Amino acid sequence: MGLGLLGVGIPDIPLFTAVILKSVYEIALTYGFTYESEEEQWFILKIIETALRKGAGLEQGNALLNGWIDSQARGGHMGEKETAGKQQEQRRRTADALSEALLYMKFLQGIPVAGVAGGISKHAI
């Protein structure tokens, strides 16, 4: 349930983000992919953002990811300038998606009694 019972839910956000990244990195390495290039980092951020979206945003993100995977299979790469611009934009978009998904429930966890409800709802994310 996190730290919601004590009204200390905010530290969960960086921990949750670290666990997400660690899991994605381990999966990438298991399948023989690195995560060190800017392109791969963009891809990881896009996966996280897309996983947190619903409806049309989810469909658009999924189509974009599938297109990127297809282009990689054909040997395509983003240019260095294009990668840098996309990286900054994707960081912002992923941060926004994480904020939407987590901060509302973390606010509830900040209230000691309501924190229990916020902790329980975290399992629905």
Side-chain angles (χ1 to χ4, degrees), residues 1-2 4 18 43-44 47-48 53 68 71 83 101 106 108 117-119 123:
M1 273 193 214
F43 182 68
I44 289 169
I47 287 173
I48 294 169
R53 296 291 181 206
W68 188 85
S71 77
T83 302
K106 293 302 169 186
L108 268 181
H123 295 290

Side-chain angles (χ1 to χ4, degrees), residues 32-51:
F33 295 96
T34 65
Y35 49 84
E36 296 170 359
S37 79
E38 297 252 341
E39 254 184 313
E40 291 159 341
Q41 291 171 7
W42 171 86
F43 182 68
I44 289 169
L45 291 171
K46 189 65 181 173
I47 287 173
I48 294 169
E49 177 206 354
T50 301

Side-chain angles (χ1 to χ4, degrees), residues 74-94:
R74 291 189 300 270
H77 295 284
M78 288 186 221
E80 195 172 308
K81 190 174 185 179
E82 182 183 356
T83 302
K86 279 193 166 191
Q87 182 86 347
Q88 285 298 103
E89 174 65 16
Q90 191 55 53
R91 282 183 187 146
R92 186 193 59 75
R93 293 174 60 97
T94 303

Side-chain angles (χ1 to χ4, degrees):
M1 273 193 214
L3 301 171
L5 186 61
L6 303 174
V8 190
I10 298 301
D12 284 353
I13 294 173
L15 294 174
F16 181 70
T17 303
V19 168
I20 289 173
L21 289 172
K22 181 180 181 291
S23 297
V24 170
Y25 294 161
E26 287 176 353
I27 291 167
L29 291 174
T30 299
Y31 285 96
F33 295 96
T34 65
Y35 49 84
E36 296 170 359
S37 79
E38 297 252 341
E39 254 184 313
E40 291 159 341
Q41 291 171 7
W42 171 86
F43 182 68
I44 289 169
L45 291 171
K46 189 65 181 173
I47 287 173
I48 294 169
E49 177 206 354
T50 301
L52 295 169
R53 296 291 181 206
K54 296 176 183 158
L58 174 61
E59 290 177 21
Q60 290 172 338
N62 192 42
L64 183 65
L65 288 168
N66 286 336
W68 188 85
I69 291 168
D70 290 342
S71 77
Q72 294 300 301
R74 291 189 300 270
H77 295 284
M78 288 186 221
E80 195 172 308
K81 190 174 185 179
E82 182 183 356
T83 302
K86 279 193 166 191
Q87 182 86 347
Q88 285 298 103
E89 174 65 16
Q90 191 55 53
R91 282 183 187 146
R92 186 193 59 75
R93 293 174 60 97
T94 303
D96 289 348
L98 281 166
S99 294
E100 284 179 30
L102 298 174
L103 286 179
Y104 297 122
M105 287 300 113
K106 293 302 169 186
F107 173 75
L108 268 181
Q109 280 186 335
I111 303 168
V113 175
V116 175
I120 291 170
S121 71
K122 180 171 44 176
H123 295 290
I125 293 179

